[in-house]
Amino acid sequence: MKRAGHLYEKILDPKVIEFAIVEAGRGKRSRKAVCRVMADLPRHVTIIRDMLLNQTFTPSDYHVSIRYDHRTKKSRKIQRPVFFPDQCIHWLIVIAVKDVFMRGMYHWNCGSIPGRGIRHGHKAVKRWLTADNKGTKYTLKMDIQKFYDSVPHDKLMAAIRHKIKDERILSLIEKVVKTTEAGIPIGNYTSQWFANLYLEKLDHHIKEALGVQYYVRYIDDLVIFGPNKKKLHKTRIAIGGFLETVMGLKLKGNWQVFKTASRGVDFLGYVFFHNHIKLRARNFITLVRQCNKVRRKIIAKVAIPYIMAAGLLSRIGQFKYFNSQNIKSRYLKGININLLKGVVRNESKRKLPAAAV
C-alpha cells in the first residue's frame, strides 16, 4: 500500500480549522470554555493555525474522572482533554487521517466508524444467522483485556507510519499519543480511530490467515461463528497467540464458546438467535422502567420532562431491530408516542436560538 503524504496542508486551511472547532464544540455550547471560543471564532482559528504552522502545539493536562459503565458493570478512567486547543486539534488530526485510516479497514468492524455503528454490526449478525444455520451453529465471544490501557505506543506509531509518510502530521499524532505513559485515553476523539487502526492487523489475520468466514468486531469485542466447537477453540488459541506475540495485547479470560441456538448471542444490545432477535435483558428492564415513569406522568397529567421523553423515544426506535410486537402491546399501552415527540420538538425549538449563535 502506498503511504499517504501531504496531509498536514489540508488542516492549515482556516475553513477546515473553523469546521473542526465547531464540530468539537457540538453539544457542548453550555460550557463556558466552549462559549468563549465560539464568541470569538476567527481569533481562535488564527491561534490554532499559527500553532500548526510553527508546530508549537503542546498538549494540556487531562481532566481525570472515574465513570461507572452500567453496560459492563465496571468503573472506567476517563481522561478528558481541554476543549481549546486540544479537542480542536484532535478533530483536525481525524480530518487529516480519516480517509487514509478507512482504506483497508475490515468491513464488519462496526465500532466508532461513521456509517458503521451498531446497526451495521446488527445487519451482519442477523444475515449470517438467518442464511447459514450450519455455519453459525456455534459462537465464539471474546474481548481484549484492558484494551485502551494496553495499546503499545511504539507499535501503534509503527501501524500509523505504515499508512502515512507526512512527518508533520506524524509528529502531531505522536504528541497526542505520548500524553499518557501507556495506552490511549478513552476521552480523546482520536482514540477510537487509533484503536480501530491498530486492530486492523488483527482483523486481516482472522479473515485471511485463519480463514474465518463469519467475524464481526465492535471495538475490542470480537464475535466469530463456526460449524463446530473444535475449530472455534483452535481459532481462539491462534488469536490469543497473535495478540500477545505481535500486538502486545492479551485476550481476556472470560471468552465463551457455546451453541448459538441454545443461548443466543448477546451482542450490540440485542440477543440474536437463528430465527428471531430479542432485546438484551438490561435494556428491556430499562425500557419497562421508562414506560412506567412516563405512564405515571400521563395518568397524573403532569408535564413529561424532555430527557424522559427523548430517552423513551430513543428506546422505542430500537423496536424495528428486534421482535417487539409483544412488548409494544404490553408495555406501551396508554403511552401516546405523538405526545413524546411533541415534547422533544418543543425543546428543540426552545434551544434553536442558542444553537444558531
Side-chain angles (χ1 to χ4, degrees), residues 134-150:
K134 186 176 178 181
T136 59
K137 185 177 181 180
Y138 292 95
T139 301
L140 166 61
K141 278 192 70 181
M142 307 170 285
D143 63 347
I144 299 169
Q145 184 171 295
K146 296 183 178 178
F147 170 59
Y148 276 94
D149 293 335
S150 303

Side-chain angles (χ1 to χ4, degrees), residues 140-144 206 215 220-224 235-236 239-240 251-252 254-256:
L140 166 61
K141 278 192 70 181
M142 307 170 285
D143 63 347
I144 299 169
I206 290 172
Y215 160 59
D220 61 334
D221 290 333
L222 290 67
V223 172
I224 293 173
T235 299
R236 172 186 59 80
I239 290 172
L251 206 60
K252 196 180 288 186
N254 64 347
W255 55 266
Q256 303 170 55

Side-chain angles (χ1 to χ4, degrees), residues 31 65 134 213 266 355 357:
R31 298 180 188 176
S65 60
K134 186 176 178 181
Q213 184 176 4
D266 190 338
V357 175

Side-chain angles (χ1 to χ4, degrees), residues 177-222:
V177 168
K178 289 187 174 180
T179 52
T180 54
E181 292 183 7
I184 47 180
I186 292 176
N188 281 4
Y189 179 51
T190 52
S191 292
Q192 61 199 48
W193 288 91
F194 294 163
N196 278 315
L197 173 73
Y198 192 62
L199 290 178
E200 183 182 309
K201 185 183 289 187
L202 173 66
D203 295 335
H204 287 290
H205 180 74
I206 290 172
K207 289 296 293 181
E208 295 157 18
L210 302 182
V212 171
Q213 184 176 4
Y214 300 124
Y215 160 59
V216 60
R217 176 171 65 80
Y218 185 81
I219 309 295
D220 61 334
D221 290 333
L222 290 67

Side-chain angles (χ1 to χ4, degrees), residues 13-233:
D13 184 339
K15 290 182 179 178
V16 174
I17 297 172
E18 181 178 330
F19 174 80
I21 294 174
V22 171
E23 288 301 306
R26 190 175 295 278
K28 306 170 187 174
R29 295 295 182 90
S30 60
R31 298 180 188 176
K32 291 181 181 179
V34 178
C35 289
R36 282 196 297 269
V37 173
M38 296 303 174
D40 193 359
L41 194 52
R43 185 173 72 86
H44 287 90
V45 168
T46 301
I47 291 171
I48 285 188
R49 190 169 190 275
D50 288 344
M51 281 183 183
L52 295 174
L53 281 169
N54 300 316
Q55 295 184 269
T56 55
F57 168 66
T58 302
S60 307
D61 292 336
Y62 290 106
H63 173 74
V64 181
S65 60
I66 304 298
R67 188 176 301 169
Y68 182 72
D69 187 339
H70 291 277
R71 183 180 68 86
T72 59
K73 306 294 182 185
K74 293 178 182 177
S75 295
R76 294 184 179 275
K77 180 182 178 183
I78 308 296
Q79 294 166 282
R80 183 162 59 86
V82 298
F83 175 71
F84 189 88
D86 295 56
Q87 290 184 33
C88 305
I89 293 287
H90 295 175
W91 263 88
L92 284 166
I93 289 173
V94 172
I95 288 170
V97 305
K98 181 170 68 173
D99 291 343
V100 179
F101 280 18
M102 291 285 286
R103 290 181 212 156
M105 186 177 286
Y106 177 52
H107 183 69
W108 297 117
N109 159 23
C110 60
S112 302
I113 301 295
R116 294 196 196 181
I118 287 175
R119 303 291 170 251
H120 186 71
H122 182 285
K123 181 169 66 175
V125 177
K126 180 182 178 182
R127 180 191 299 170
W128 297 338
L129 293 183
T130 304
D132 189 357
N133 269 29
K134 186 176 178 181
T136 59
K137 185 177 181 180
Y138 292 95
T139 301
L140 166 61
K141 278 192 70 181
M142 307 170 285
D143 63 347
I144 299 169
Q145 184 171 295
K146 296 183 178 178
F147 170 59
Y148 276 94
D149 293 335
S150 303
V151 174
H153 289 174
D154 57 340
K155 291 179 181 291
L156 172 61
M157 286 307 303
I160 295 171
R161 287 182 181 277
H162 184 69
K163 292 206 171 196
I164 295 171
K165 63 182 178 182
D166 185 325
E167 286 299 331
R168 287 191 294 176
I169 199 72
L170 286 168
S171 175
L172 186 61
I173 289 171
E174 193 161 22
K175 284 182 180 180
V176 174
V177 168
K178 289 187 174 180
T179 52
T180 54
E181 292 183 7
I184 47 180
I186 292 176
N188 281 4
Y189 179 51
T190 52
S191 292
Q192 61 199 48
W193 288 91
F194 294 163
N196 278 315
L197 173 73
Y198 192 62
L199 290 178
E200 183 182 309
K201 185 183 289 187
L202 173 66
D203 295 335
H204 287 290
H205 180 74
I206 290 172
K207 289 296 293 181
E208 295 157 18
L210 302 182
V212 171
Q213 184 176 4
Y214 300 124
Y215 160 59
V216 60
R217 176 171 65 80
Y218 185 81
I219 309 295
D220 61 334
D221 290 333
L222 290 67
V223 172
I224 293 173
F225 300 102
N228 63 68
K229 283 185 177 182
K230 189 174 182 180
K231 282 187 177 180
L232 287 181
H233 280 296

